[in-house]
Amino acid sequence: ATALRVAYLLTQREHSRPVKIAHWLLGSSSLRAVSLDCEMISAKGNAKSLASVAVVDESGTQLYFAYVRRHPTEVANYRRRVTGLGPKTLSGPSARDFRDVRDAVSRLLRGKLLVGHDLQHDLDALDIYHPAQLRRDTAIVFRRGADKVKLSTLAK
């Protein structure tokens, strides 16, 4: 199991004990590593929109978790079966503004090795750039032929 599993489970509203990132993902780097996982909802106009984000460190300790504030009129589909989220969560008092979430996550990632699944998708949703040489993407590493292995399968 990896810290990626912890980040995934945090966005799935499950609990997990702290775990270590596999050494082969980190290579010989002495950089600190973090793992990122985001959940998306469908916004009006068929666009994907950030709903929640989790960041954990190498030991699986939660560094950051936030729901992103979304007004119900902006949302086409909460994708509840996948996200477990609804209007009360994303428009409630615990949800944060997108810019605040993006800025906080950007600060956490700066200069660190980033481990995640389909990272470009999450980085695009956050509107964050992170250098390719500082990324370890399990969607690229773990493949079945030309197909990506789902994160839920890797997290088992």
Side-chain angles (χ1 to χ4, degrees):
T2 67
L4 178 60
R5 173 175 162 68
V6 175
Y8 169 75
L9 292 173
L10 284 170
T11 61
Q12 299 303 307
R13 297 166 19 146
E14 296 180 22
H15 301 287
S16 179
R17 64 186 184 282
V19 292
K20 298 282 184 187
I21 295 175
H23 291 289
W24 65 266
L25 277 175
L26 295 176
S28 61
S29 174
S30 62
L31 289 171
R32 285 198 41 210
V34 295
S35 185
L36 169 73
D37 188 46
C38 297
E39 286 299 323
M40 313 298 173
I41 57 171
S42 297
K44 302 280 176 157
N46 271 344
K48 296 282 186 189
S49 186
L50 185 66
S52 68
V53 59
V55 180
V56 298
D57 68 11
E58 301 103 326
S59 66
T61 301
Q62 180 180 324
L63 300 175
Y64 185 81
F65 180 86
Y67 295 114
V68 179
R69 184 171 293 118
R70 298 292 174 203
H71 192 276
T73 59
E74 299 174 342
V75 180
N77 184 346
Y78 286 97
R79 301 177 61 231
R80 285 181 198 245
R81 290 178 59 200
V82 176
T83 67
L85 301 173
K88 287 183 181 177
T89 304
L90 297 184
S91 61
S94 64
R96 300 187 59 199
D97 289 328
F98 172 79
R99 287 184 181 152
D100 294 339
V101 171
R102 180 192 61 208
D103 293 347
V105 172
S106 182
R107 282 191 301 274
L108 281 171
L109 301 185
R110 194 169 295 127
K112 294 187 178 69
L113 193 62
L114 177 61
V115 180
H117 189 77
D118 208 3
L119 282 172
Q120 191 59 52
H121 187 236
D122 289 351
L123 292 170
D124 287 346
L126 284 159
D127 194 24
I128 292 175
Y129 169 79
H130 197 73
Q133 66 271 25
L134 291 178
R135 297 183 205 171
R136 302 296 184 271
D137 195 329
T138 59
I140 294 169
V141 174
F142 296 105
R143 290 181 132 358
R144 288 192 181 127
D147 298 328
K148 295 176 189 174
V149 177
K150 290 183 177 184
L151 178 55
S152 58
T153 302
L154 291 175
K156 289 181 182 176

